[in-house]
Amino acid sequence: MRVFVTGASGWIGSATVPELLAAGHAVVGLARSDRAAAALTAAGAEVRRGTLEDLDVLADAAGAADGVIHLAFQHDVAFSGGFQAAAQADRRAVEAMGAALKGSDRPFVLASGLLGLTPGRLATERDGREPEGDQASAGPDARHATARFTLALAERGVRSSVLRLPPTVHGDGDPGFLTAIVTAAREHGVSGYLGDGANRWPAVHRLDAAHLFRLALERAPAGAVLHAAGDEGVAIRAVAEVIGRHLGLPVAPVEPAHFTWLAGLVGIDSPASAALTRDLLGWHPTRPGLLDDLEQGHYFRSAG
């Protein structure tokens, strides 16, 4: 297939592109900068210049492709206080690409999230599929609404699927939440957790996630929801204990301010199952789980 990938040079995209190429697919990656374009060229992909705001570019690239994997999201905007604007830009991008694929039966795979899907209960692929509400949904539900819209594209002749990612997609070079938690421990001199630290996060290795994106592109049926959960739920206290041991810091409960912008997320209990995904696509994660990956030490290389 000729596959259009947004977010192709990002943390997950830079693993997904080689996965696709190794399987014999041709890749066209969206690049918003010279640096991203150079990385894609070096990886062996074709470059399409543009951003998520360039709806004509997105529609044209999607229409010319045999399938689409949408990984991009304006995280820089979202994390600087503009989450709603980022979510709205994402929705417009999905609408543009979805319209270009209408009636084609070609695959469209959307990256979505698992954190907070069913707090306090093991989430499955059957959760979160309620009919789409108001497009102007606020907060995290704005992204959930876009996921529901994507699933509804199946009724318009698109082989659409939603692949929900854990809050930590870990691996060597991870720029995400786990690195922020390690940084907070260094800065405060304590490896912390909220409450009793028993709340759980699902997790997946970056390379296992990339493999699942390829399987979704190739084989996921229209309207499928997939979970990229290698670990169903790792207790945050267990994470803090590994961090504390590697950094030589005490492990203790802390106040939310310890985690700054992550405070509203670190305390969520949000385990998730991938049993239905494994049965449907034969996905079997082979890379280290979260705690084993932490034990390898690459998250602590800059420790003083």
mmCIF file of all heavy atoms in Angstrom, residues 85-122:
data_model
loop_
_atom_site.group_PDB
_atom_site.id
_atom_site.type_symbol
_atom_site.label_atom_id
_atom_site.label_comp_id
_atom_site.label_asym_id
_atom_site.label_seq_id
_atom_site.Cartn_x
_atom_site.Cartn_y
_atom_site.Cartn_z
ATOM 1 N N ALA A 85 -8.155 24.230 21.342
ATOM 2 C CA ALA A 85 -7.783 24.622 19.981
ATOM 3 C C ALA A 85 -7.100 23.462 19.261
ATOM 4 O O ALA A 85 -7.357 23.224 18.075
ATOM 5 C CB ALA A 85 -6.852 25.833 20.024
ATOM 6 N N ALA A 86 -6.241 22.732 19.977
ATOM 7 C CA ALA A 86 -5.573 21.583 19.371
ATOM 8 C C ALA A 86 -6.567 20.496 19.011
ATOM 9 O O ALA A 86 -6.479 19.878 17.942
ATOM 10 C CB ALA A 86 -4.509 21.042 20.323
ATOM 11 N N ALA A 87 -7.528 20.262 19.899
ATOM 12 C CA ALA A 87 -8.543 19.241 19.639
ATOM 13 C C ALA A 87 -9.425 19.626 18.452
ATOM 14 O O ALA A 87 -9.809 18.778 17.646
ATOM 15 C CB ALA A 87 -9.401 19.024 20.884
ATOM 16 N N GLN A 88 -9.742 20.903 18.331
ATOM 17 C CA GLN A 88 -10.555 21.356 17.210
ATOM 18 C C GLN A 88 -9.799 21.245 15.891
ATOM 19 O O GLN A 88 -10.370 20.858 14.858
ATOM 20 C CB GLN A 88 -11.002 22.801 17.457
ATOM 21 C CG GLN A 88 -12.033 22.921 18.576
ATOM 22 C CD GLN A 88 -12.300 24.364 18.976
ATOM 23 O OE1 GLN A 88 -11.579 25.285 18.561
ATOM 24 N NE2 GLN A 88 -13.329 24.573 19.774
ATOM 25 N N ALA A 89 -8.487 21.546 15.916
ATOM 26 C CA ALA A 89 -7.670 21.400 14.711
ATOM 27 C C ALA A 89 -7.607 19.934 14.295
ATOM 28 O O ALA A 89 -7.662 19.605 13.104
ATOM 29 C CB ALA A 89 -6.272 21.952 14.955
ATOM 30 N N ASP A 90 -7.500 19.057 15.275
ATOM 31 C CA ASP A 90 -7.462 17.626 14.992
ATOM 32 C C ASP A 90 -8.773 17.165 14.363
ATOM 33 O O ASP A 90 -8.784 16.401 13.395
ATOM 34 C CB ASP A 90 -7.204 16.862 16.294
ATOM 35 C CG ASP A 90 -6.998 15.379 16.065
ATOM 36 O OD1 ASP A 90 -6.144 15.020 15.246
ATOM 37 O OD2 ASP A 90 -7.696 14.582 16.719
ATOM 38 N N ARG A 91 -9.886 17.665 14.886
ATOM 39 C CA ARG A 91 -11.191 17.282 14.345
ATOM 40 C C ARG A 91 -11.334 17.726 12.892
ATOM 41 O O ARG A 91 -11.793 16.948 12.031
ATOM 42 C CB ARG A 91 -12.308 17.896 15.199
ATOM 43 C CG ARG A 91 -13.733 17.650 14.697
ATOM 44 C CD ARG A 91 -14.054 16.143 14.566
ATOM 45 N NE ARG A 91 -15.433 15.952 14.189
ATOM 46 C CZ ARG A 91 -16.409 15.665 15.057
ATOM 47 N NH1 ARG A 91 -16.158 15.547 16.349
ATOM 48 N NH2 ARG A 91 -17.639 15.494 14.629
ATOM 49 N N ARG A 92 -10.912 18.933 12.597
ATOM 50 C CA ARG A 92 -10.995 19.416 11.218
ATOM 51 C C ARG A 92 -10.132 18.572 10.287
ATOM 52 O O ARG A 92 -10.523 18.279 9.150
ATOM 53 C CB ARG A 92 -10.581 20.892 11.149
ATOM 54 C CG ARG A 92 -11.553 21.849 11.818
ATOM 55 C CD ARG A 92 -11.218 23.297 11.498
ATOM 56 N NE ARG A 92 -9.932 23.706 12.044
ATOM 57 C CZ ARG A 92 -9.772 24.265 13.241
ATOM 58 N NH1 ARG A 92 -10.825 24.469 14.026
ATOM 59 N NH2 ARG A 92 -8.570 24.632 13.659
ATOM 60 N N ALA A 93 -8.952 18.185 10.773
ATOM 61 C CA ALA A 93 -8.065 17.361 9.958
ATOM 62 C C ALA A 93 -8.689 16.004 9.666
ATOM 63 O O ALA A 93 -8.638 15.512 8.530
ATOM 64 C CB ALA A 93 -6.724 17.183 10.673
ATOM 65 N N VAL A 94 -9.297 15.387 10.673
ATOM 66 C CA VAL A 94 -9.943 14.084 10.490
ATOM 67 C C VAL A 94 -11.119 14.198 9.532
ATOM 68 O O VAL A 94 -11.319 13.335 8.660
ATOM 69 C CB VAL A 94 -10.395 13.512 11.845
ATOM 70 C CG1 VAL A 94 -11.283 12.280 11.662
ATOM 71 C CG2 VAL A 94 -9.184 13.159 12.704
ATOM 72 N N GLU A 95 -11.885 15.258 9.653
ATOM 73 C CA GLU A 95 -13.018 15.458 8.739
ATOM 74 C C GLU A 95 -12.534 15.584 7.299
ATOM 75 O O GLU A 95 -13.130 15.007 6.379
ATOM 76 C CB GLU A 95 -13.797 16.705 9.154
ATOM 77 C CG GLU A 95 -14.583 16.531 10.443
ATOM 78 C CD GLU A 95 -15.274 17.805 10.889
ATOM 79 O OE1 GLU A 95 -14.890 18.893 10.401
ATOM 80 O OE2 GLU A 95 -16.196 17.714 11.734
ATOM 81 N N ALA A 96 -11.431 16.337 7.085
ATOM 82 C CA ALA A 96 -10.920 16.535 5.734
ATOM 83 C C ALA A 96 -10.425 15.223 5.130
ATOM 84 O O ALA A 96 -10.739 14.890 3.971
ATOM 85 C CB ALA A 96 -9.792 17.564 5.751
ATOM 86 N N MET A 97 -9.668 14.456 5.901
ATOM 87 C CA MET A 97 -9.147 13.194 5.382
ATOM 88 C C MET A 97 -10.256 12.159 5.231
ATOM 89 O O MET A 97 -10.280 11.389 4.270
ATOM 90 C CB MET A 97 -8.024 12.678 6.286
ATOM 91 C CG MET A 97 -6.766 13.532 6.219
ATOM 92 S SD MET A 97 -5.365 12.875 7.183
ATOM 93 C CE MET A 97 -5.897 13.289 8.858
ATOM 94 N N GLY A 98 -11.191 12.155 6.171
ATOM 95 C CA GLY A 98 -12.317 11.227 6.080
ATOM 96 C C GLY A 98 -13.162 11.470 4.849
ATOM 97 O O GLY A 98 -13.603 10.522 4.182
ATOM 98 N N ALA A 99 -13.376 12.746 4.529
ATOM 99 C CA ALA A 99 -14.162 13.079 3.343
ATOM 100 C C ALA A 99 -13.450 12.616 2.073
ATOM 101 O O ALA A 99 -14.088 12.157 1.111
ATOM 102 C CB ALA A 99 -14.411 14.591 3.291
ATOM 103 N N ALA A 100 -12.129 12.722 2.060
ATOM 104 C CA ALA A 100 -11.363 12.306 0.881
ATOM 105 C C ALA A 100 -11.411 10.794 0.683
ATOM 106 O O ALA A 100 -11.263 10.310 -0.445
ATOM 107 C CB ALA A 100 -9.917 12.767 1.022
ATOM 108 N N LEU A 101 -11.618 10.051 1.763
ATOM 109 C CA LEU A 101 -11.647 8.587 1.693
ATOM 110 C C LEU A 101 -13.057 8.023 1.553
ATOM 111 O O LEU A 101 -13.221 6.805 1.365
ATOM 112 C CB LEU A 101 -10.999 7.995 2.951
ATOM 113 C CG LEU A 101 -9.504 8.242 3.130
ATOM 114 C CD1 LEU A 101 -9.057 7.785 4.512
ATOM 115 C CD2 LEU A 101 -8.704 7.530 2.049
ATOM 116 N N LYS A 102 -14.046 8.859 1.620
ATOM 117 C CA LYS A 102 -15.436 8.399 1.608
ATOM 118 C C LYS A 102 -15.719 7.488 0.413
ATOM 119 O O LYS A 102 -15.381 7.781 -0.726
ATOM 120 C CB LYS A 102 -16.371 9.613 1.560
ATOM 121 C CG LYS A 102 -17.856 9.266 1.580
ATOM 122 C CD LYS A 102 -18.701 10.540 1.556
ATOM 123 C CE LYS A 102 -20.189 10.213 1.505
ATOM 124 N NZ LYS A 102 -21.018 11.444 1.452
ATOM 125 N N GLY A 103 -16.348 6.343 0.708
ATOM 126 C CA GLY A 103 -16.763 5.414 -0.330
ATOM 127 C C GLY A 103 -15.651 4.594 -0.950
ATOM 128 O O GLY A 103 -15.882 3.861 -1.907
ATOM 129 N N SER A 104 -14.441 4.656 -0.399
ATOM 130 C CA SER A 104 -13.290 3.978 -1.013
ATOM 131 C C SER A 104 -12.983 2.622 -0.396
ATOM 132 O O SER A 104 -12.228 1.841 -0.969
ATOM 133 C CB SER A 104 -12.045 4.862 -0.884
ATOM 134 O OG SER A 104 -11.644 4.948 0.475
ATOM 135 N N ASP A 105 -13.507 2.360 0.812
ATOM 136 C CA ASP A 105 -13.188 1.150 1.579
ATOM 137 C C ASP A 105 -11.703 1.072 1.918
ATOM 138 O O ASP A 105 -11.192 -0.003 2.246
ATOM 139 C CB ASP A 105 -13.623 -0.126 0.834
ATOM 140 C CG ASP A 105 -15.141 -0.250 0.758
ATOM 141 O OD1 ASP A 105 -15.798 0.108 1.745
ATOM 142 O OD2 ASP A 105 -15.636 -0.689 -0.292
ATOM 143 N N ARG A 106 -11.013 2.214 1.866
ATOM 144 C CA ARG A 106 -9.604 2.237 2.250
ATOM 145 C C ARG A 106 -9.466 2.462 3.754
ATOM 146 O O ARG A 106 -10.334 3.057 4.385
ATOM 147 C CB ARG A 106 -8.867 3.332 1.475
ATOM 148 C CG ARG A 106 -8.598 2.958 0.024
ATOM 149 C CD ARG A 106 -7.996 4.121 -0.754
ATOM 150 N NE ARG A 106 -9.021 5.082 -1.141
ATOM 151 C CZ ARG A 106 -8.768 6.274 -1.690
ATOM 152 N NH1 ARG A 106 -7.522 6.655 -1.896
ATOM 153 N NH2 ARG A 106 -9.749 7.074 -2.026
ATOM 154 N N PRO A 107 -8.366 2.004 4.362
ATOM 155 C CA PRO A 107 -8.211 2.118 5.810
ATOM 156 C C PRO A 107 -7.835 3.520 6.277
ATOM 157 O O PRO A 107 -7.051 4.228 5.614
ATOM 158 C CB PRO A 107 -7.091 1.129 6.125
ATOM 159 C CG PRO A 107 -6.285 1.073 4.868
ATOM 160 C CD PRO A 107 -7.272 1.223 3.743
ATOM 161 N N PHE A 108 -8.381 3.884 7.419
ATOM 162 C CA PHE A 108 -8.031 5.120 8.109
ATOM 163 C C PHE A 108 -7.880 4.764 9.589
ATOM 164 O O PHE A 108 -8.845 4.352 10.233
ATOM 165 C CB PHE A 108 -9.116 6.183 7.930
ATOM 166 C CG PHE A 108 -8.814 7.485 8.637
ATOM 167 C CD1 PHE A 108 -8.103 8.488 7.986
ATOM 168 C CD2 PHE A 108 -9.237 7.710 9.930
ATOM 169 C CE1 PHE A 108 -7.822 9.683 8.627
ATOM 170 C CE2 PHE A 108 -8.971 8.904 10.584
ATOM 171 C CZ PHE A 108 -8.260 9.898 9.931
ATOM 172 N N VAL A 109 -6.663 4.883 10.105
ATOM 173 C CA VAL A 109 -6.383 4.513 11.494
ATOM 174 C C VAL A 109 -6.091 5.777 12.283
ATOM 175 O O VAL A 109 -5.164 6.536 11.954
ATOM 176 C CB VAL A 109 -5.181 3.553 11.588
ATOM 177 C CG1 VAL A 109 -5.010 3.078 13.030
ATOM 178 C CG2 VAL A 109 -5.353 2.366 10.645
ATOM 179 N N LEU A 110 -6.864 6.003 13.324
ATOM 180 C CA LEU A 110 -6.712 7.187 14.176
ATOM 181 C C LEU A 110 -6.061 6.811 15.495
ATOM 182 O O LEU A 110 -6.505 5.879 16.173
ATOM 183 C CB LEU A 110 -8.072 7.814 14.459
ATOM 184 C CG LEU A 110 -8.093 8.952 15.489
ATOM 185 C CD1 LEU A 110 -7.537 10.230 14.875
ATOM 186 C CD2 LEU A 110 -9.497 9.191 16.025
ATOM 187 N N ALA A 111 -5.024 7.545 15.893
ATOM 188 C CA ALA A 111 -4.438 7.378 17.220
ATOM 189 C C ALA A 111 -5.276 8.142 18.234
ATOM 190 O O ALA A 111 -5.570 9.326 18.060
ATOM 191 C CB ALA A 111 -3.006 7.902 17.229
ATOM 192 N N SER A 112 -5.676 7.446 19.291
ATOM 193 C CA SER A 112 -6.453 8.063 20.356
ATOM 194 C C SER A 112 -5.842 7.653 21.689
ATOM 195 O O SER A 112 -4.726 7.134 21.721
ATOM 196 C CB SER A 112 -7.925 7.631 20.241
ATOM 197 O OG SER A 112 -8.746 8.352 21.127
ATOM 198 N N GLY A 113 -6.559 7.900 22.805
ATOM 199 C CA GLY A 113 -5.964 7.662 24.116
ATOM 200 C C GLY A 113 -6.775 6.766 25.021
ATOM 201 O O GLY A 113 -7.997 6.636 24.879
ATOM 202 N N LEU A 114 -6.076 6.150 25.996
ATOM 203 C CA LEU A 114 -6.697 5.257 26.971
ATOM 204 C C LEU A 114 -6.874 5.887 28.346
ATOM 205 O O LEU A 114 -7.752 5.474 29.104
ATOM 206 C CB LEU A 114 -5.829 3.995 27.145
ATOM 207 C CG LEU A 114 -5.961 2.899 26.103
ATOM 208 C CD1 LEU A 114 -4.857 1.859 26.299
ATOM 209 C CD2 LEU A 114 -7.327 2.238 26.202
ATOM 210 N N LEU A 115 -6.044 6.861 28.693
ATOM 211 C CA LEU A 115 -6.051 7.382 30.053
ATOM 212 C C LEU A 115 -7.395 8.003 30.404
ATOM 213 O O LEU A 115 -7.899 8.881 29.703
ATOM 214 C CB LEU A 115 -4.951 8.427 30.228
ATOM 215 C CG LEU A 115 -4.708 8.893 31.672
ATOM 216 C CD1 LEU A 115 -4.255 7.726 32.545
ATOM 217 C CD2 LEU A 115 -3.682 10.014 31.709
ATOM 218 N N GLY A 116 -7.979 7.540 31.498
ATOM 219 C CA GLY A 116 -9.244 8.086 31.977
ATOM 220 C C GLY A 116 -10.470 7.579 31.256
ATOM 221 O O GLY A 116 -11.566 8.103 31.453
ATOM 222 N N LEU A 117 -10.321 6.540 30.445
ATOM 223 C CA LEU A 117 -11.463 6.026 29.684
ATOM 224 C C LEU A 117 -12.542 5.483 30.614
ATOM 225 O O LEU A 117 -13.726 5.804 30.473
ATOM 226 C CB LEU A 117 -10.998 4.935 28.713
ATOM 227 C CG LEU A 117 -12.052 4.365 27.763
ATOM 228 C CD1 LEU A 117 -12.578 5.446 26.818
ATOM 229 C CD2 LEU A 117 -11.468 3.203 26.956
ATOM 230 N N THR A 118 -12.152 4.658 31.573
ATOM 231 C CA THR A 118 -13.089 4.122 32.586
ATOM 232 C C THR A 118 -12.363 4.131 33.924
ATOM 233 O O THR A 118 -11.905 3.078 34.397
ATOM 234 C CB THR A 118 -13.555 2.694 32.249
ATOM 235 O OG1 THR A 118 -12.413 1.841 32.139
ATOM 236 C CG2 THR A 118 -14.332 2.669 30.941
ATOM 237 N N PRO A 119 -12.218 5.289 34.565
ATOM 238 C CA PRO A 119 -11.417 5.389 35.791
ATOM 239 C C PRO A 119 -11.837 4.361 36.845
ATOM 240 O O PRO A 119 -13.022 4.189 37.131
ATOM 241 C CB PRO A 119 -11.694 6.812 36.266
ATOM 242 C CG PRO A 119 -12.042 7.562 35.026
ATOM 243 C CD PRO A 119 -12.806 6.578 34.185
ATOM 244 N N GLY A 120 -10.836 3.665 37.408
ATOM 245 C CA GLY A 120 -11.092 2.709 38.468
ATOM 246 C C GLY A 120 -11.549 1.346 37.996
ATOM 247 O O GLY A 120 -11.749 0.440 38.819
ATOM 248 N N ARG A 121 -11.689 1.170 36.699
ATOM 249 C CA ARG A 121 -12.157 -0.112 36.160
ATOM 250 C C ARG A 121 -11.351 -0.456 34.918
ATOM 251 O O ARG A 121 -10.948 0.424 34.162
ATOM 252 C CB ARG A 121 -13.645 -0.016 35.801
ATOM 253 C CG ARG A 121 -14.203 -1.257 35.121
ATOM 254 C CD ARG A 121 -15.707 -1.162 34.930
ATOM 255 N NE ARG A 121 -16.136 -0.142 33.996
ATOM 256 C CZ ARG A 121 -16.096 -0.272 32.666
ATOM 257 N NH1 ARG A 121 -15.597 -1.362 32.108
ATOM 258 N NH2 ARG A 121 -16.538 0.701 31.889
ATOM 259 N N LEU A 122 -11.116 -1.755 34.700
ATOM 260 C CA LEU A 122 -10.378 -2.197 33.530
ATOM 261 C C LEU A 122 -11.157 -1.862 32.262
ATOM 262 O O LEU A 122 -12.258 -2.359 32.042
ATOM 263 C CB LEU A 122 -10.139 -3.705 33.610
ATOM 264 C CG LEU A 122 -9.243 -4.307 32.514
ATOM 265 C CD1 LEU A 122 -7.793 -3.880 32.720
ATOM 266 C CD2 LEU A 122 -9.358 -5.828 32.510
#
